Amino acid sequence: MKIEKLSIIIPAYNEGNTIHLILDKIKGVKLIDNIRKEVIIVDDFSDDHTAQAVSDYLATNAELDIKYYTHESNKGKGAALHTGIAKATGEYLIIQDADLEYNPYEYNSMLKPVCDGFADVVYGSRFMGSNPHRILFFWHTIGNRWLTFLSNLFANLNLTDMETCYKLFDTKIIQAIKLSEQRFGFEPEITQKIARVPRIRIYEVGISYYGRTYEDGKKIGWKDGVRAIYCILKYGLFKVN
């Protein structure tokens, strides 16, 4: 299918030190088929210099289509994604964290199954393919794989990485889904709900992963893992809308 514009949703919370770097990477990517980029930044009430960093970037990079929205209180990553998804105007949208764990140069790999007419949704997997992966936490990897297994069990999918940030969606499809999770529960919720869409075509491609430590600013913790289990059961086993 022909895609005119890709919306890139960036939830940001205290990412003043890195957001200009990820924006530079996004600006440097030439998308296949001359697809245009729409960058939507949702600042989830940061208390660092994220707002100033974005303002400075806007002043010197007018060629990049950037829209900046702010929350009046800290609501969580999921809530920031809800805002960004609602504002998206591209035929497809992709989620991009404001840190440097994921490389925008891989957008084209994820777009290819869509542009070739095969996919409505594409997940970028950190656990498949030959791309580089930073070696970090053993128990995080075990946790991610176990959550993916549990999610697959109820969604009847065979994903290798449900918790990945890189998810590419048909905008109309995801905007029609009611989303409730305000924090990191977004990942299992959307996976369970997208799997229930009739005749949905979900693909997965291998991506690289440049993971951060907690000293680098990583925010997800064990409590979010517990919440993910709750969300899988809520939206998968009990099929709450």
Side-chain angles (χ1 to χ4, degrees):
M1 67 167 293
K2 178 63 176 176
I3 302 175
E4 299 290 340
K5 180 166 58 177
L6 175 69
S7 297
I8 302 162
I9 313 299
I10 305 179
Y13 177 66
N14 290 350
E15 301 290 358
N17 291 332
T18 61
I19 196 162
H20 65 289
L21 299 175
I22 201 67
L23 290 172
D24 276 343
K25 287 181 177 291
I26 292 170
K27 184 174 71 170
V29 175
K30 180 174 176 57
L31 299 180
I32 56 176
D33 296 341
N34 294 314
I35 297 171
R36 292 181 288 114
K37 291 170 284 191
E38 172 189 59
V39 181
I40 299 174
I41 302 170
V42 182
D43 187 343
D44 192 33
F45 201 64
S46 297
D47 56 16
D48 70 344
H49 59 289
T50 297
Q52 186 61 53
V54 173
S55 178
D56 292 345
Y57 198 90
L58 286 168
T60 56
N61 295 274
E63 69 275 22
L64 187 60
D65 180 10
I66 300 176
K67 298 177 176 64
Y68 180 63
Y69 301 95
T70 60
H71 285 170
E72 295 182 356
S73 62
N74 181 249
K75 299 178 180 179
K77 179 181 178 180
L81 290 173
H82 299 171
T83 298
I85 289 167
K87 300 292 185 181
T89 62
E91 295 93 337
Y92 274 74
L93 65 83
I94 192 168
I95 297 167
Q96 171 71 62
D97 281 348
D99 55 36
L100 302 174
E101 290 191 329
Y102 295 83
N103 191 342
Y105 285 93
E106 292 174 314
Y107 290 169
N108 286 325
S109 296
M110 298 188 64
L111 282 165
K112 192 173 187 305
V114 174
C115 292
D116 288 346
F118 295 114
D120 304 305
V121 176
V122 182
Y123 278 44
S125 173
R126 297 165 291 177
F127 303 127
M128 62 183 288
S130 59
N131 294 327
H133 302 79
R134 184 178 180 183
I135 303 302
L136 281 173
F137 307 113
F138 172 78
W139 289 112
H140 274 199
T141 301
I142 295 299
N144 279 330
R145 291 185 186 276
W146 191 83
L147 289 172
T148 297
F149 168 79
L150 190 63
S151 176
N152 285 341
L153 184 65
F154 294 111
N156 194 27
L157 299 175
N158 64 341
L159 292 169
T160 65
D161 190 6
M162 177 273 294
E163 289 281 357
T164 181
C165 162
Y166 268 4
K167 294 179 173 70
L168 176 73
F169 297 99
D170 180 311
T171 302
K172 288 183 179 178
I173 291 176
I174 193 170
Q175 285 179 341
I177 294 173
K178 178 185 176 183
L179 296 171
S180 302
E181 293 300 314
Q182 300 287 296
R183 286 181 48 80
F184 293 101
F186 171 86
E187 315 294 354
E189 179 189 10
I190 192 56
T191 301
Q192 295 300 318
K193 290 184 175 180
I194 206 75
R196 301 205 299 262
V197 175
R199 296 178 297 280
I200 193 79
R201 300 172 301 170
I202 303 173
Y203 272 65
E204 194 175 44
V205 300
I207 60 169
S208 55
Y209 180 61
Y210 303 88
R212 297 196 299 176
T213 65
Y214 287 103
E215 289 76 16
D216 295 327
K218 194 173 187 68
K219 300 178 179 71
I220 195 166
W222 67 268
K223 291 181 180 179
D224 297 300
V226 173
R227 180 69 184 185
I229 296 171
Y230 169 81
C231 291
I232 292 170
L233 296 176
K234 179 179 179 179
Y235 302 109
L237 177 61
F238 299 107
K239 301 188 184 306
V240 174
N241 290 323

